[in-house]
Amino acid sequence: MGIRGKIRRALRGEVGLGAAALEAGRRGLVALRLRGERAALSARARGASVPPPPARLAPEFARAGGAGLLEHFRGGGAARFFKGFEEALTPAGREHLAPRAEALREEGRAIAGRRWALLGYGEREFGGRVDWLREPLTGARWPLDFHADVALVRGDGSDVRVLWELNRLGHLVALGRAYAAGGGESLAEEFFAQAESWAEQNPPGLGPNWACAMEAALRATNLLAALTLFRRSPALDERRLLALLALLDAHGRHVRRNLEYSYIAAGNHYLSDLAGLLWLGVCLPELAAAAGWRDFALRELLRELDRQVLPDGASWEASTGYHRLVTELFLYSLLLCRENGVEVAERHWRRVRSMLEYARAYLRPDGRAPLVGDTDGGRVLPLAARAADDHAYLLAVGAALFREPRFKVSDQAPEEVFWLLGADGARVYGGLEAAAVSSSRSEAFEHAGACVLRERDLYLLLSASGAGLGGRGAHGHNDALSIEVSAFGVSFVADPGTYVYTGDLPARHAFRSTAYHSTVEVDGAEQNTTPEAAPFHIGDEARPRLLSFTSDGRRDAAAAEHYGYERLPAGRVTHRRAVTFDRRAGCWLVEDALEGTGEHVFRFVFHAAPGRLVRPLAPRGSQTRGRAAVEVVDEATGARLVVASVEGFEGVTVEPRWSSRDYGSKVETAAAVWALRAPAPLAARWLLLPVRAGEDAAARLESVLGGLAGG
């Protein structure tokens, strides 16, 4: 890429000259700092097993000595972690854990046997001694180079995201939960053995596991959580405590030096850095740097809460998966502050609540989330195994925290409620009366670019979210004006998900392409520029926006448009999509207007959800004769979604696709595609008609189309 192209890419999105100048200065200072850090580390033997320097303790704790410090930590330390972690080792806590105790202990025994699940790849074996520098899928091993020099994308099929997931050490939290459930002292020995082996293999500042400050920050939060549960174990002695404090101190200092801030677009990486610093600062006042970390991180975190959360409650990264992660970052951090008497203004709590309101709106009637944009399964504190589309547990925490029945998702409180809010939180949750699914209403989120047209168990999401990050994009997809549809508790039309990042660049490109989303593709072009070789670059050509939203007793309607096809060689095209939800008929009418000039190949795509069969629907009468229609079938229940061309466009084909519900896993799916060559402007209408099991789909389609023809 030439100089002009690099400048254009660097300054894409809503970037002013002032911000660009500040960012250039910041990058220059970072380069100087890294040069100094590299020189300091060069004096050490690269690749040698060099432990982190001793923890720099606050004077009053340094004077206590190792024995005094050990007694202090076994007694609870100077700070509190989340309520459930504090209660778990008490008789009341054990009683609360009793129903799941055996399942927790079984998971703990598997981890002690060096076997646990990793992302969407299922359970993996890690051998007698975990190799923390080896990516477990391909066996690729990273060298202990200076952290800023580590090549993260190697082109050999290896995936650093998988390596980093292993090294976030979230499985050690599960080990601690198993210990609290009566798993025995062998689990404590395993925790200390794994923490020690990690420190031996990863000298501070060297290798892939220090190459990203976010990873260090999330690893620190998991180590803090696990240490809280193991701190009363007889296996914790002075040596081990001091080694863990040194390791956590090294993490905090590394994150503080290598903050992933940008004047152009800071995202979830910077938030994770701040959360890690905040948690270390709040939970380990014994460290000399703790107060400074806490004050800086809280100030910055609250500033980013105002900046990165849109006025209607959505994360600005154009991704529901990252909305889940960012909601965890803010919600859990504010809860930890409250637990330790760190004051946070009420307006910040309201902002976090708005994030839960947004999540409630986008969840389907089956409680699952549409996977709009990237989703890599990332979590802040993995307190239970959760699929990437499982976001409802956050609402459950919000239900108990805010005493809000509308957030209650099930009769039984998810595990996160106890671990974060304690037994009292679980009791509050149990006392709330859940709101019925039928109470959910159609809503539009102008800033997020999302509109949900729903009633009872009928649900359609119209996505008009942009590239994200103020137009700079990293985790958005080419999904402008795409739809998701579910009915009768079944997902019929769905976003394909993400699959992987750098491990398979062609697959990464396909999963975020226009052709993989339920929208309109023109001349085979992408809505936004997405170079295959740049897996986290997405342009801002489409600039989608919601135009209108109306709702009355009979119909709900929304309209949006995007401009991604205004650069086509054959002539400019603007895509406008309007969706009307007819509550009485229980169906949606999708109207596509493609305004512009020139002749084009238009492809209208409807991407089926995993496990659904797509097949043609034979016409039954005068209304359906000459109209191509397909039905998307859930063979388990017999329920179907009929997709019919109102104009009678023929030539529909069923094309193979892939879908991914969890990072690293994928299944074969299909898409119904209507393709035609025609001049612009062009108008097309599509009827989306849910049909219950046992109902005659063709007869129902005939009836509804007759109603449309009659006005």
Side-chain angles (χ1 to χ4, degrees), residues 37 89 119 125 150 153 184 287 316 355 446 476 481 522 552:
E37 187 181 353
L89 300 178
L119 297 170
E125 298 275 356
V150 173
V153 183
L287 297 178
W316 75 333
M355 301 184 76
E446 179 183 359
L481 311 196
V522 183
D552 58 33

Side-chain angles (χ1 to χ4, degrees), residues 545-623:
R545 63 190 183 105
L546 284 175
L547 300 173
S548 63
F549 169 71
T550 58
S551 180
D552 58 33
R554 183 179 176 185
R555 291 186 177 90
D556 300 330
E561 68 181 13
H562 81 83
Y563 313 102
Y565 300 133
E566 291 194 344
R567 67 194 195 282
L568 296 177
R572 300 172 62 177
V573 173
T574 298
H575 179 201
R576 182 177 300 112
R577 171 167 277 185
V579 183
T580 301
F581 176 37
D582 187 325
R583 294 185 186 179
R584 295 181 186 178
C587 63
W588 298 271
L589 181 67
V590 177
E591 301 175 88
D592 288 315
L594 294 136
E595 303 291 341
T597 59
E599 186 174 82
H600 304 273
V601 175
F602 298 98
R603 289 168 53 84
F604 301 86
V605 180
F606 297 88
H607 191 293
R612 306 295 169 256
L613 174 67
V614 182
R615 66 191 181 196
L617 179 66
R620 177 61 60 85
S622 61
Q623 297 298 330

Side-chain angles (χ1 to χ4, degrees), residues 43 75 102 111 118 142 256 263 266 398 420 518 579 597 600 605 708:
E102 181 51 38
I111 294 170
L118 201 63
W142 267 259
R256 186 66 179 89
Y263 287 100
L420 295 170
S518 299
V579 183
T597 59
H600 304 273
V605 180
L708 283 176

Side-chain angles (χ1 to χ4, degrees), residues 332 394 441 536-537 614:
Y332 294 4
L394 286 172
R441 66 185 190 280
F536 297 105
H537 170 89
V614 182

Side-chain angles (χ1 to χ4, degrees), residues 141 332 456 461 546 636 668:
R141 201 170 190 278
Y332 294 4
R456 296 186 297 276
L461 170 70
L546 284 175
E668 292 185 73

Side-chain angles (χ1 to χ4, degrees), residues 188-199:
E189 291 288 352
E190 180 65 21
F191 165 68
F192 293 115
Q194 288 201 29
E196 288 164 6
S197 77
W198 193 94

Side-chain angles (χ1 to χ4, degrees), residues 156-457:
D156 58 0
S158 60
D159 189 344
V160 75
R161 174 67 184 90
V162 178
L163 179 75
W164 282 345
E165 183 67 22
L166 169 65
N167 284 272
R168 286 183 183 181
L169 305 183
H171 65 282
L172 296 184
V173 180
L175 195 69
R177 291 164 52 235
Y179 177 75
E185 288 302 318
S186 63
L187 301 188
E189 291 288 352
E190 180 65 21
F191 165 68
F192 293 115
Q194 288 201 29
E196 288 164 6
S197 77
W198 193 94
E200 288 171 7
Q201 295 179 42
N202 293 275
L206 300 177
N209 296 319
W210 296 99
C212 175
M214 174 184 185
E215 298 305 317
L218 295 179
R219 183 163 53 247
T221 62
N222 288 324
L223 282 170
L224 281 171
L227 177 58
T228 301
L229 294 171
F230 288 112
R231 68 174 185 245
R232 293 194 177 96
S233 167
L236 178 63
D237 57 22
E238 295 177 32
R239 179 188 64 82
R240 283 173 163 168
L241 175 60
L242 290 172
L244 280 168
L245 290 177
L247 184 60
L248 289 165
D249 190 37
H251 276 71
R253 292 180 183 275
H254 181 81
V255 172
R256 186 66 179 89
R257 279 195 306 269
N258 295 279
L259 291 168
E260 295 164 279
Y261 178 74
S262 166
Y263 287 100
I264 293 177
N268 68 86
H269 277 243
Y270 185 51
L271 292 183
S272 298
D273 301 346
L274 296 173
L277 279 179
L278 178 65
W279 291 32
L280 287 167
V282 168
C283 297
L284 290 178
E286 296 83 3
L287 297 178
W293 294 343
R294 180 198 63 210
D295 295 345
F296 165 79
L298 180 60
R299 181 175 66 251
E300 284 292 293
L301 194 78
L302 296 179
R303 187 173 75 94
E304 292 300 313
L305 178 59
D306 288 335
R307 185 166 78 140
Q308 294 196 31
V309 179
L310 301 174
D312 47 23
S315 162
W316 75 333
E317 297 206 47
S319 155
T320 54
Y322 280 89
H323 181 83
R324 180 179 81 166
L325 173 66
V326 169
T327 302
E328 282 191 357
L329 285 165
F330 286 126
L331 176 60
Y332 294 4
S333 294
L334 265 60
L335 280 172
L336 191 64
C337 286
R338 189 184 73 166
E339 195 63 29
N340 287 276
V342 179
E343 186 175 350
V344 174
E346 180 60 29
R347 72 178 186 89
H348 298 305
W349 285 103
R350 289 196 299 269
R351 192 79 155 178
V352 171
R353 177 169 176 151
S354 75
M355 301 184 76
L356 298 173
E357 292 283 2
Y358 178 60
R360 181 181 184 272
Y362 69 60
L363 289 188
R364 302 191 305 253
D366 64 1
R368 295 288 174 163
L371 298 181
V372 177
D374 277 347
T375 180
D376 70 352
R379 306 279 302 282
V380 179
L381 192 62
L383 297 170
R386 299 287 176 196
D389 63 355
D390 186 353
H391 298 193
Y393 66 93
L394 286 172
L395 292 182
V397 175
L401 174 64
F402 296 112
R403 298 177 183 265
E404 175 53 79
R406 293 169 53 254
F407 292 163
K408 187 170 182 178
V409 294
S410 61
D411 291 335
Q412 186 69 32
E415 289 186 64
E416 288 83 357
V417 174
F418 167 74
W419 289 104
L420 295 170
L421 301 174
D424 284 345
R427 280 192 288 270
V428 168
Y429 182 90
L432 297 172
E433 184 174 349
V437 171
S438 59
S439 67
S440 298
R441 66 185 190 280
S442 296
E443 292 182 78
F445 297 84
E446 179 183 359
H447 299 279
C451 186
V452 181
L453 304 177
R454 68 190 303 169
E455 185 177 49
R456 296 186 297 276
D457 59 357

